[in-house]
Amino acid sequence: RRHAEDELMAKRDAFTDELDEFVTQAEAFATYGELDRMAENVQKLSDLEAKMADARTRAEALSSEEELLGFPRSQFPQLEEVPKTLAPYKALWSTAQEFSKNSYQWLNGPMTAIDPEVVEGEAKALWKANFKTIKTFNEMAPDDASDQTPPLKVAEALKLKIDEFQEKLPLISAMCNKGLRERHW
């Protein structure tokens, strides 16, 4: 029994250290400010989310072991802290990636495959999501900060790109009109 208790304590301490590392990795997203590295950042977010899902499963197993040995269940606040920390960064980078992918298809794909109403709706949805992200990062910024945080700079740059794209929507709507026929060309 003594050996099992010592082993459990070692597992719990190692697990807590691992969770603390996940918190550090989540907080590191506050320093990511390059729009060109969006795919890499989205991948890092996905990897960290997968690790957190695995950590939740292992926390339950660890709690079961603690109950078997008569110990009180350990609380791991990091399991709640990391997703909360990641949420605004996930919104930022997934919006950036989705806009990049979609705008390329909309501007470089075949015009016959484009539905202008869908394009307009998706562009507005991306703009709204980015607006919420900008608002969140502005609220997260310290009051005495005179300079923008790197994620806020990315969100502002993305806003400019979306605004620039939205200026092209009337032309896309006219060129991709379903009523346009060969004789009109």
Side-chain angles (χ1 to χ4, degrees):
R1 179 175 173 84
R2 185 79 166 146
H3 177 70
E5 288 176 355
D6 290 342
E7 193 175 295
L8 179 63
M9 296 287 233
K11 272 190 210 177
R12 185 174 52 197
D13 291 342
F15 186 65
T16 302
D17 291 343
E18 185 179 353
L19 289 176
D20 289 339
E21 176 59 30
F22 293 160
V23 170
T24 303
Q25 289 176 18
E27 290 170 348
F29 279 94
T31 62
Y32 296 172
E34 296 178 37
L35 196 54
D36 298 339
R37 301 181 81 170
M38 96 182 93
E40 179 182 330
N41 293 339
V42 169
Q43 185 60 47
K44 286 180 182 178
L45 277 164
S46 297
D47 292 346
L48 189 53
E49 286 177 330
K51 289 177 185 176
M52 288 304 299
D54 179 54
R56 282 191 198 303
T57 305
R58 291 186 303 151
E60 285 299 318
L62 195 61
S63 293
S64 296
E65 281 186 54
E66 288 173 335
E67 285 179 4
L68 286 174
L69 291 174
F71 287 180
R73 290 179 66 119
S74 295
Q75 299 297 317
F76 300 108
Q78 301 94 325
L79 292 173
E80 302 302 320
E81 182 182 344
V82 171
K84 286 179 185 175
T85 303
L86 288 180
Y89 304 111
K90 180 178 172 80
L92 170 66
W93 294 110
S94 61
T95 301
Q97 186 177 42
E98 188 175 343
F99 174 73
S100 178
K101 180 184 75 163
N102 288 347
S103 65
Y104 181 81
Q105 288 176 342
W106 294 331
L107 295 174
N108 299 312
M111 289 191 306
T112 56
I114 296 175
D115 183 355
E117 292 174 6
V118 171
V119 171
E120 187 174 344
E122 288 180 10
K124 283 183 181 178
L126 290 169
W127 188 89
K128 284 180 185 178
N130 191 54
F131 182 79
K132 288 178 185 177
T133 304
I134 290 172
K135 186 177 177 184
T136 302
F137 286 127
N138 277 327
E139 291 170 357
M140 288 172 54
D143 293 333
D144 61 342
S146 60
D147 201 20
Q148 291 182 333
T149 61
L152 182 57
K153 288 179 184 177
V154 169
E156 293 287 347
L158 182 60
K159 180 186 179 296
L160 292 174
K161 285 186 171 196
I162 294 173
D163 287 342
E164 182 181 309
F165 177 80
Q166 284 185 329
E167 290 175 7
K168 298 173 185 171
L169 282 175
L171 180 61
I172 291 172
S173 185
M175 298 298 291
C176 300
N177 189 328
K178 298 294 180 191
L180 212 56
R181 300 287 179 247
E182 185 67 36
R183 61 187 164 92
H184 294 121
W185 293 103

